[in-house]
Amino acid sequence: MKSLLVFSRLIDAVTESVGKAVGWLILVAVLVSAGNAVVRKAFNISSNAWLEAQWYLFGGAFMLAAAYTLAQNEHIRIDVVYGKFSRRVQHWIDLLGHCLFLMPFVLLMIYYLVPYVLMSYRSGEGSSSAGGLIVWPAKAILLAGFLLLAAQGVSEIIKKIAIMRGDMDDPTPYVPTHAPLDTAVAGEKGA
């Protein structure tokens, strides 16, 4: 288990580096958007390439930060239900969710995206808009995002198993809003 935890920490480090770095893509997207708007209004010049660059940047930030969001335990869940369970049950829910939902979906996306990206790259696929950008980099960003998410999914599975076995402390303890009722405490209050 120690070697798996070392592997998990390596994945976490890569995910964190990428996640923090792609945050800057949002700033670049905003600057490109503002610059494009100023040039369009001031000089009556517009470019499909600049418009497409905006969504490439935003899409890149979104896709490449998904693994970092998972690592930070910030993905959306139904807290009303999840929060009513003990932390042990929450770990089981997370583990089963990662194994039965996250990983099959992510692996399926990778399976379909590899030929999709390769075909786009080999053909030199360009935008359907006049003056637009080449398309394969956007498709490659999708693939990279799912590869990172798959790696982070493996890391989360390793960590959940290690936590449940007692081999490590919970790095992201979840404190539910609706804590489960402890029967011992409830008995004391009722007495």
Side-chain angles (χ1 to χ4, degrees), residues 8 18 24 33 40-41 47 53 56 60 70 81 95 123 156 173 190:
S8 175
V18 171
W24 289 100
S33 177
R40 187 175 60 245
K41 295 294 182 188
S47 166
Y56 274 33
L70 180 62
V81 175
L95 180 63
S123 70
E156 295 304 311

Side-chain angles (χ1 to χ4, degrees), residues 9-166:
R9 282 192 289 277
L10 175 66
I11 292 170
D12 290 350
V14 169
T15 297
E16 184 171 350
S17 297
V18 171
K20 288 181 177 180
V22 299
W24 289 100
L25 292 180
I26 299 295
L27 175 63
V28 175
V30 167
L31 293 174
V32 166
S33 177
N36 193 34
V38 167
V39 167
R40 187 175 60 245
K41 295 294 182 188
F43 304 107
N44 202 23
I45 300 171
S46 185
S47 166
N48 284 333
W50 285 109
L51 293 171
E52 290 179 5
Q54 290 172 225
W55 67 261
Y56 274 33
L57 291 164
F58 181 76
F62 181 84
M63 285 306 301
L64 297 173
Y68 180 64
T69 305
L70 180 62
Q72 297 301 309
N73 198 29
E74 293 294 332
H75 275 275
I76 297 170
R77 63 170 51 93
I78 303 170
D79 289 339
V80 174
V81 175
Y82 184 84
K84 291 187 181 213
F85 294 111
S86 69
R87 189 63 180 132
R88 179 172 167 73
V89 173
Q90 290 174 352
H91 286 305
W92 274 106
I93 291 170
D94 289 341
L95 180 63
L96 292 173
H98 294 329
C99 292
L100 299 176
F101 298 105
L102 175 70
M103 293 308 292
F105 172 72
V106 168
L107 294 175
L108 184 67
M109 290 304 296
I110 292 169
Y111 176 79
Y112 283 112
L113 279 170
V114 168
Y116 182 66
V117 172
L118 287 174
M119 185 174 63
S120 180
Y121 176 75
R122 288 179 184 145
S123 70
E125 183 181 5
S127 172
S128 59
S129 301
L133 301 174
I134 54 174
V135 176
W136 70 263
K139 292 180 178 182
I141 288 170
L142 279 173
L143 178 58
F146 279 108
L147 288 168
L148 280 169
L149 194 54
Q152 190 60 45
V154 169
S155 175
E156 295 304 311
I157 289 168
I158 291 168
K159 289 186 289 189
K160 286 296 171 189
I161 292 170
I163 290 167
M164 292 178 355
R165 288 180 41 163

